[in-house]
Amino acid sequence: MLRTFGERLRAALGDRCTLARLGGDEFAAVIEDDDSQAVIARVETALHLVREPLSHDGRILDCQATAGGSLFPAHGADAAELLKAADIALYAAKAGARGGLLTFQPQMRADLQRRSSMLSIARDAVRDDRIMPYYQPKVSLESGLVCGFEALLRWRHPLLGIQPPATIVSAFEDLELAVALSERMLEGIVGDMRRWLDEGVEFGRIAFNLSPAEFRREDLADRILGRMARARIPVDRLELEVTETVFVGRGAECVATTLETFNRAGVHIALDDFGTGYASLTHLKAFPVHTIKIDKSFVSHLDSDAEDAAIIDAVVALGHRLGMRVVAEGVETAAQARYLLAQGCDMAQGYLFGESVPRDQVPAALRRALAVSRSGWR
């Protein structure tokens, strides 16, 4: 495949181009042309041509490339600077424009440094055992009772205290770190569930977010199910939340197999942030999904934006027609809760019912959420 790819690149980029394989699946091209737009056009044409499937040993293989580029003299005065700038642009393209070309921009250097800083901070937090779950209640709109919690990642900064996941968001794109963070979270969640069961705390079902990177691990299902079994916790006490991006990324077939393994074991699957991603409605049929979560961006303006209200109505109806439960995120007012209840939405979570709290405050969160429901918003 590498030889075929190299031949296609050489043919597509044409004359006045020096092509080399840097290592692995990475190639570099030095293109001589006084017109930078002409260079960009040549690379974009090459990217299109290399997408053609190739045949090998009777199999058809898909092929795709992503490119990052730098221009002389704007992005570097010598070969080393130009190559470094192109490499930074390639990283940015792989992160946000796969299959396309990005040319170097100074902001990309700052973005790379920020990502590197996040990765370093996350590694330190994992090493020093400073990752912990916080729990936000989910309430049944019909009964007003807490039916579960969503476990949200928090980490403790030595000086700044408890920090949200946004401060280390790049770590969830890194396979090694994503798995390490997941392990720390699972360890905490399973320990908390075992403790609550022993103490008679009725916490319902705990939802746990899986990042797309984790699905690249073949042992994902065995790792989670094994931990639940060793702690003697019924698997139906666990709900896994995934975003639509896992359905459309590379390895979607592995995602389907993994989710089906969880489904057969009795683990509930929730589709998070529904309506904001890239998945089509066909994914609701192709993948085992028990719950749809309406993104808070639709909920926050439902009493002032007729289009958001219409979207909520449609999602609730769709979910119920498919036999799924529907959860609304970001519910902050009694008016929002009443509207969702009237439309038949099953559950809600948000500041109205309680913000996320550490493990020792979960019993109090159960009482607060029930008190809110009894306060008369329904």
Side-chain angles (χ1 to χ4, degrees):
M1 189 172 75
L2 289 171
R3 281 197 293 268
T4 302
F5 183 80
E7 291 166 0
R8 289 181 177 182
L9 273 184
R10 185 168 54 192
L13 293 174
D15 298 332
R16 302 181 70 189
C17 170
T18 301
L19 184 66
R21 175 171 167 245
L22 298 181
D25 61 354
E26 197 165 285
F27 288 73
V30 181
I31 303 172
E32 300 175 62
D33 198 310
D34 293 333
D35 185 350
S36 61
Q37 292 304 312
V39 171
I40 291 172
R42 286 168 67 181
V43 175
E44 289 177 338
T45 299
L47 290 176
H48 177 73
L49 292 175
V50 299
R51 289 194 193 104
E52 290 294 324
L54 61 92
S55 176
H56 177 71
D57 284 345
R59 296 179 61 191
I60 301 298
L61 305 178
D62 290 328
C63 187
Q64 176 180 279
T66 303
S70 59
L71 300 171
F72 174 84
H75 302 145
D78 57 34
E81 289 182 4
L82 288 168
L83 188 58
K84 180 63 176 177
D87 195 48
I88 291 173
L90 175 60
Y91 174 80
K94 288 195 291 186
R98 280 195 174 272
L101 163 69
L102 289 182
T103 54
F104 176 78
Q105 300 293 330
Q107 179 60 35
M108 292 177 180
R109 196 184 305 276
D111 292 341
L112 182 62
Q113 291 171 342
R114 184 162 49 251
R115 178 182 185 274
S116 298
S117 176
M118 286 185 179
L119 296 182
S120 177
I121 291 170
R123 289 191 186 97
D124 290 345
V126 169
R127 182 196 63 208
D128 298 337
D129 197 17
R130 291 188 273 117
I131 304 297
M132 66 197 70
Y134 267 45
Y135 299 93
Q136 185 174 43
K138 294 181 181 178
V139 172
S140 166
L141 290 171
E142 182 64 34
S143 68
L145 299 176
V146 173
C147 49
F149 288 82
E150 180 179 0
L152 302 168
L153 185 145
R154 298 290 184 269
W155 66 279
R156 186 174 58 256
H157 190 281
L159 300 176
L160 302 177
I162 302 300
Q163 299 294 301
T167 54
I168 55 169
V169 67
S170 294
F172 300 105
E173 302 168 5
D174 181 276
L175 175 58
E176 178 184 349
L177 269 176
V179 172
L181 290 167
S182 174
E183 280 294 312
R184 291 295 189 187
M185 282 288 287
L186 268 174
E187 182 180 359
I189 292 167
V190 171
D192 292 340
M193 286 197 289
R194 184 66 263 167
R195 188 177 304 107
W196 292 328
L197 286 171
D198 293 340
E199 295 173 355
V201 177
E202 186 44 62
F203 57 87
R205 183 178 289 122
I206 301 297
F208 171 56
N209 293 277
L210 288 177
S211 68
E214 292 183 77
F215 283 92
R216 303 207 299 269
R217 284 282 299 263
E218 295 181 356
D219 64 345
L220 175 61
D222 292 339
R223 183 166 54 88
I224 294 177
L225 294 174
R227 190 179 285 275
M228 294 285 287
R230 288 190 295 273
R232 296 175 292 107
I233 299 173
V235 291
D236 62 359
R237 289 282 192 162
L238 182 67
E239 182 172 73
L240 298 177
E241 294 192 2
V242 298
T243 58
E244 297 176 54
T245 53
V246 304
F247 296 158
V248 294
R250 291 182 300 169
E253 300 84 1
C254 296
V255 171
T257 301
T258 301
L259 290 180
E260 189 54 47
T261 300
F262 282 124
N263 179 51
R264 287 196 304 268
V267 176
H268 284 242
I269 309 296
L271 181 56
D272 200 10
D273 301 335
F274 185 74
T276 63
Y278 308 101
S280 70
L281 295 178
T282 58
H283 292 103
L284 294 178
K285 293 177 59 179
F287 294 87
V289 175
H290 306 97
T291 301
I292 297 175
K293 299 191 72 176
I294 302 174
D295 186 71
K296 61 183 179 182
S297 62
F298 300 115
V299 175
S300 58
H301 300 114
L302 69 83
D303 31 15
S304 60
D305 190 322
E307 292 181 351
D308 282 351
I311 290 172
I312 289 174
D313 298 350
V315 172
V316 172
L318 172 67
H320 289 168
R321 286 290 298 272
L322 294 174
M324 301 174 184
R325 295 176 304 167
V326 181
V327 182
E329 296 182 292
V331 179
E332 299 182 353
T333 68
Q336 292 170 349
R338 283 193 290 269
Y339 182 88
L340 292 164
L341 175 62
Q343 302 311 307
C345 185
D346 301 292
M347 291 177 285
Q349 66 183 101
Y351 288 156
L352 175 64
F353 305 106
E355 58 186 359
S356 58
V357 296
R359 58 174 65 94
D360 58 338
Q361 295 183 28
V362 163
L366 285 165
R367 294 190 294 272
R368 279 197 302 271
L370 182 58
V372 168
S373 295
R374 289 175 174 171
S375 65
W377 67 261
R378 291 183 295 155

